[in-house]
Amino acid sequence: MTLEWRARSGSLAWSNPLAWWWGLLTLVSGVNIAVWFVLYRQFHVQPSGSLGSASGVELMLLLCAAYVFGCAFRSFLPRADVQRICLFDTWLSSVVVGRSVATVAEVCFAAQWAIILYQLGAMTGADTTVNAAWVIVPLILIAECFSWYAVLTTHYLGNAIENSIWAVSFYLIGIGLCRLLTEFDGLVCVILAIAIVGIAGYVVFLMTVDVPMYLSRWRADVAGGSRLLRPLEGLRDVSTRWVVTHDLAEWKDEIAWMSLYFSAAVWASLALCVFCSLEDHLPRYRTDATVASWSSDALAAVGRQHR
């Protein structure tokens, strides 16, 4: 059985490894969407009148939806922004559409992490964790600006800076989670340790694979005398030009980060919703020393009130 998609550059058949990669991305994204709906049915109590009145878990589900569905959209219609390449000949493959979806999704993902860090930092009195929570979203907004600069001008240095900021952001998240290891024991401590290991792996990947890849492309463009686009010129370009290609050589450098991004990162977003729903159960996992210290402080405060 062969399934083909007609495009200006020919057909994409299952004999092409890109078709199997695309099929895997699509399958994973479909499962991720199904999991989100399961979580929505499990945690959503009733519709809220406004975003401001939404409970913590409802807000997390909303942010998660932006990320899950945004990544699914990018999986169904893969594209490489600066190169302007895509798999399917449709205006939905244009960079301006895909980059806009990605921007919203990534800011929402960062907001999820900020909420969890603030929740845990406030609960334990860990200032390091709370401070990390406050800087995550601003850092990612700056990263998105560099991403758009790279996309509009075709300047790969912007991508290198963008991913470096992502690395710094998750390094800070990791530091914030490390601070919490002494505040919890049991299952919560195990979950924190797993998250820290995953974040460490992500940071290492960014700094050893992703950032060097973009720096290498930037140096190649400089050596080749490539002309950068002006921002307005680039805006017209990303709105009207997309190049359909099924050449594996054109995609090979994108496959690794896209595969991890549209799978593991989405699973992290879903896991954050589950963790947020357990807020009321977290105090029972506080370390004995922490609970004793909290009880002592509480008794002292009561004593001062009755003096």
Side-chain angles (χ1 to χ4, degrees), residues 100-118:
S100 298
V101 170
T103 299
V104 173
E106 289 169 356
V107 172
C108 288
F109 185 48
Q112 281 188 280
W113 280 104
I115 289 171
I116 289 294
L117 287 178
Y118 185 84

Side-chain angles (χ1 to χ4, degrees), residues 74-278:
R74 298 172 68 193
S75 296
F76 298 151
L77 297 171
R79 42 160 243 297
D81 292 342
V82 176
Q83 302 96 307
R84 312 289 197 261
I85 62 173
C86 59
L87 286 182
F88 304 108
D89 186 16
T90 167
W91 67 270
L92 289 173
S93 293
S94 70
V95 174
V96 71
V97 173
R99 189 64 248 163
S100 298
V101 170
T103 299
V104 173
E106 289 169 356
V107 172
C108 288
F109 185 48
Q112 281 188 280
W113 280 104
I115 289 171
I116 289 294
L117 287 178
Y118 185 84
Q119 178 190 79
L120 295 176
M123 177 186 299
T124 59
D127 290 340
T128 300
T129 306
V130 171
N131 292 336
W134 282 113
V135 302
I136 297 305
V137 173
L139 281 174
I140 296 307
L141 287 173
I142 295 171
E144 294 300 329
C145 291
F146 278 104
S147 177
W148 273 100
Y149 169 77
V151 168
L152 295 178
T153 64
T154 68
H155 200 326
Y156 282 113
L157 183 59
N159 289 131
I161 297 173
E162 172 207 359
N163 283 277
S164 298
I165 294 173
W166 275 94
V168 170
S169 299
F170 272 85
Y171 175 78
L172 294 176
I173 292 173
I175 294 297
L177 295 181
C178 285
R179 168 63 181 82
L180 298 170
L181 286 175
T182 58
E183 303 291 342
F184 295 96
D185 56 19
L187 180 61
V188 174
C189 190
V190 172
I191 293 173
L192 290 174
I194 292 173
I196 291 167
V197 171
I199 288 170
Y202 175 59
V203 172
V204 169
F205 176 82
L206 285 174
M207 299 312 297
T208 61
V209 177
D210 236 29
V211 173
M213 176 184 71
Y214 288 119
L215 289 175
S216 176
R217 291 178 181 179
W218 169 56
R219 287 192 291 264
D221 281 352
V222 172
S226 297
R227 185 184 74 85
L228 299 179
L229 300 178
R230 295 185 299 275
L232 288 179
E233 181 185 6
L235 183 60
R236 288 192 296 271
D237 190 56
V238 296
S239 302
T240 59
R241 184 169 71 92
W242 52 90
V243 180
V244 179
T245 177
H246 304 148
D247 184 355
L248 181 61
E250 297 281 351
W251 288 94
K252 63 182 180 66
D253 290 336
E254 315 299 325
I255 289 176
W257 75 262
M258 283 189 179
S259 300
L260 290 171
Y261 190 94
F262 299 145
S263 58
V266 177
W267 300 337
S269 177
L270 293 166
L272 289 174
C273 290
V274 176
F275 192 81
C276 182
S277 71
L278 302 176

